[in-house]
Amino acid sequence: MAADPAAPSRDAAEPPRDCPLCPRLVAYRLENRAKEPAWHNAPVPSWGGRDARLLVLGLAPGVRGANRTGRPFTGDHAGKLLYATLLKFGLAEGEYREDPRDGMVLKGVRIVNGVRCVPPQNLPTPTEITTCNRFLKAELAALTRLRAVIALGLVAHNALLKAYGLPMSRLKFAHGAVHTLPDGRLLADSYHVSRYNTNTGRLTTEMFEAVTADVLARIA
C-alpha cells in the first residue's frame, strides 16, 4: 500500500509544509508564496509545550497574521487580547510584540488552530475542517496532561467535538459555557478574539478574562 503523501514522518499532529490534502488551501498557499515569498505561507504549527494543561483552540491562521509569521495568533489583531490575557494569568512570560522573535514563552498552555492553513476570506469550508481534523485528533492524543480546552468560537467548538467523534448537537456552543468531554477534560467556550468581536463589544476584555479565570479555577 502506498504511503499517505500528507502523513508527517515525525509528528502526526503537525502537517508537512507542503500538505496536499485541501486543494483550495494549497492553491491559496501557492498564491501567497508568489506574492510574499518571505512569509511563512505554510501550515502553522502548534505553539507551547506538550506538557500543557490548557489548550487554546482557534479557527485558522489569518493571512497577515500567523500565515505571515508562522506562530499562532501572532501579527494580527486577534493576538492582542489573547496574549494579553495569557500574560495576565501567568500562562505566558515576556512581552508580546506581534513577532515570533519577541522572546515570549508560554507556560502550561498550548495554542493550535482547527485548520492549520490560511483559508481565503478567513473561512475554511466544512470539508477542509473535516480533512484537517486528523491533526487535531493527534494533537489531543499527544497532550497527556491536558485538562481543558478553550474553544474560540463555534467553528473551533465543533472541530473539537468532531475530533472526539461527538455529534454537534451533543454540546451546544455558548459563550462562558463549560462542558465535560467523555475523557473528563473540560471544554470552555468563548467568542473568538477577532477584531470584529472586540470592536463591536461582542467580546470584551473582561468577558474573555472571566472565561480564562473560570477554566483555571476548575483545573487548579
Side-chain angles (χ1 to χ4, degrees), residues 5-144:
S9 59
R10 289 176 292 178
D11 189 344
E14 298 293 347
R17 176 171 174 79
D18 292 303
C19 181
L21 292 175
C22 300
R24 188 181 74 117
L25 302 189
V26 170
Y28 193 47
R29 178 197 306 153
L30 295 176
E31 177 184 330
N32 283 312
R33 283 183 185 176
K35 290 180 181 178
E36 301 287 351
W39 288 8
H40 176 73
N41 291 319
V44 175
S46 307
W47 186 36
R50 282 263 169 84
D51 60 346
R53 299 170 70 242
L54 177 65
L55 181 70
V56 176
L57 176 60
L59 169 56
V63 64
R64 294 183 176 276
N67 177 67
R68 174 174 61 86
T69 64
R71 192 176 77 178
F73 291 93
T74 300
D76 57 18
H77 184 84
K80 295 181 179 180
L81 175 55
L82 174 61
Y83 288 121
T85 303
L86 297 184
L87 286 163
K88 179 174 181 176
F89 284 90
L91 296 168
E93 285 185 348
E95 180 184 358
Y96 173 60
R97 297 197 298 268
E98 302 188 23
D99 186 328
R101 297 164 295 185
D102 56 19
M104 188 173 62
V105 296
L106 301 184
K107 298 178 62 181
V109 63
R110 188 168 168 91
I111 304 172
V112 66
N113 281 309
V115 173
R116 304 301 184 90
C117 294
V118 60
Q121 289 79 54
N122 292 320
L123 189 64
T125 66
T127 298
E128 290 161 354
I129 295 169
T130 298
T131 300
C132 206
N133 203 250
R134 68 189 67 188
F135 301 110
L136 180 57
K137 290 179 183 177
E139 183 79 44
L140 293 167
L143 301 180
T144 57

Side-chain angles (χ1 to χ4, degrees), residues 158-214:
N158 286 343
L160 188 70
L161 297 188
K162 187 181 292 291
Y164 272 88
L166 298 174
M168 302 298 107
S169 59
R170 178 72 63 85
L171 303 174
K172 296 290 189 180
F173 175 87
H175 178 82
V178 179
H179 315 274
T180 301
L181 295 163
D183 59 4
R185 292 169 172 172
L186 301 180
L187 164 59
D189 291 333
S190 173
Y191 293 133
H192 197 282
V193 290
S194 67
R195 181 188 297 272
Y196 176 83
N197 284 344
T198 56
N199 282 356
T200 60
R202 188 184 194 202
L203 179 68
T204 65
T205 297
E206 293 75 17
M207 289 169 64
F208 188 59
E209 288 181 355
V211 169
T212 305
D214 183 29

